[in-house]
Amino acid sequence: NAGVTQTPKFQVLKTGQSMTLQCAQDMNHNSMYWYRQDPGMGLRLIYYSASEGTTDKGEVPNGYNVSRLNKREFSLRLESAAPSQTSVYFCASNLAGGRETQYFGPGTRLLVL
Amino acid sequence: QKEVEQDPGPLSVPEGAIVSLNCTYSNSAFQYFMWYRQYSRKGPELLMYTYSSGNKEDGRFTAQVDKSSKYISLFIRDSQPSDSATYLCAMMGGNEKLTFGTGTRLTIIP
């Protein structure tokens, strides 16, 4: 089992460019999450998907869109990247949302110039 | 004011020492308390998970929750160089969303 995988590992964008961060899990989990991690801010929830076909906003959704492509995959899209979106992005999943343990991917480091 | 406060460190201790990591919080709705360990350039992994007040022990790790003081702790006994990592506290209330501390960077010196 690979667990939660994320691509790419690292990306540099120019302001205004778009990109999609990919996440996949092979644990048959129903719920998936996108977080960003910034120095001095901790991990903050961007969007989550409680189950296939549903998505909801988290604490910091502005500037992002998500797609729950199927049960395994949950992508995060930046339509017009800004320097404030420079961060490390983590995808996580758990079996049934709520209080279940979340399992994290290795992260994508994004630099927006 | 942040809902969860955690001293970012860094904290350096000699191998074999007892390590104490702490978080305070302000939201009295938090009932589930977790500690995650994050190695450099890796994702967080769950270390301890406790509900409400009390202690929970797992090997060299002990998690303590004091809801009356809104204070949680993680103790690491007989610390090892492999314990060098960033430790994140996380909490959850009725909305079932995790709120994380900023993390404490710990180095165990051989």
Side-chain angles (χ1 to χ4, degrees):
Chain A
N1 280 357
V4 179
T5 56
Q6 293 183 236
T7 55
K9 285 187 169 51
F10 180 69
Q11 184 73 44
V12 179
L13 289 179
K14 294 181 180 176
T15 296
Q17 286 185 318
S18 62
M19 81 162 292
T20 299
L21 282 65
Q22 306 285 356
C23 172
Q25 52 87 13
D26 63 0
M27 297 177 282
N28 202 33
H29 285 170
N30 291 300
S31 300
M32 299 184 73
Y33 308 81
W34 276 106
Y35 292 89
R36 59 178 290 173
Q37 186 175 36
D38 303 291
M41 300 295 293
L43 281 151
R44 292 179 292 168
L45 183 65
I46 306 171
Y47 269 94
Y48 66 99
S49 170
S51 61
E52 187 178 351
T54 69
T55 61
D56 281 292
K57 295 178 181 179
E59 183 186 350
V60 288
N62 290 348
Y64 305 95
N65 286 302
V66 290
S67 295
R68 183 73 183 268
L69 305 167
N70 48 56
K71 191 171 184 178
R72 288 187 65 247
E73 298 172 290
F74 189 36
S75 62
L76 179 72
R77 182 158 178 86
L78 287 71
E79 290 291 352
S80 178
S84 60
Q85 294 178 305
T86 293
S87 188
V88 183
Y89 291 86
F90 289 99
C91 178
S93 70
N94 64 5
L95 185 59
R99 305 164 212 154
E100 299 268 347
T101 299
Q102 292 185 22
Y103 296 86
F104 284 81
T108 294
R109 307 180 84 84
L110 177 66
L111 175 62
V112 182
L113 301 174
Chain B
Q1 186 190 357
K2 292 178 186 172
E3 278 191 297
V4 179
E5 298 279 358
Q6 184 175 10
D7 187 336
L11 181 63
S12 296
V13 301
E15 183 175 353
I18 295 175
V19 175
S20 172
L21 303 166
N22 312 292
C23 288
T24 59
Y25 63 96
S26 57
N27 187 343
S28 56
F30 289 146
Q31 292 189 32
Y32 299 89
F33 304 91
M34 297 133 214
W35 286 96
Y36 281 82
R37 179 174 61 196
Q38 185 176 21
Y39 290 115
S40 182
R41 295 186 177 260
K42 301 287 187 186
E45 56 178 342
L46 184 69
L47 202 55
M48 299 287 281
Y49 189 147
T50 54
Y51 169 68
S52 195
S53 284
N55 291 3
K56 183 174 182 179
E57 191 172 314
D58 184 0
R60 296 184 294 111
F61 299 90
T62 300
Q64 234 174 45
V65 174
D66 182 349
K67 289 190 72 180
S68 62
S69 302
K70 296 191 178 65
Y71 188 87
I72 71 170
S73 301
L74 177 71
F75 298 97
I76 307 174
R77 290 183 299 280
D78 187 25
S79 55
Q80 304 293 312
S82 59
D83 296 327
S84 297
T86 296
Y87 290 80
L88 306 164
C89 62
M91 309 179 187
M92 183 186 290
N95 68 357
E96 298 187 333
K97 298 294 172 287
L98 283 174
T99 300
F100 284 87
T102 53
T104 300
R105 191 150 52 104
L106 172 68
T107 301
I108 307 300
I109 304 164

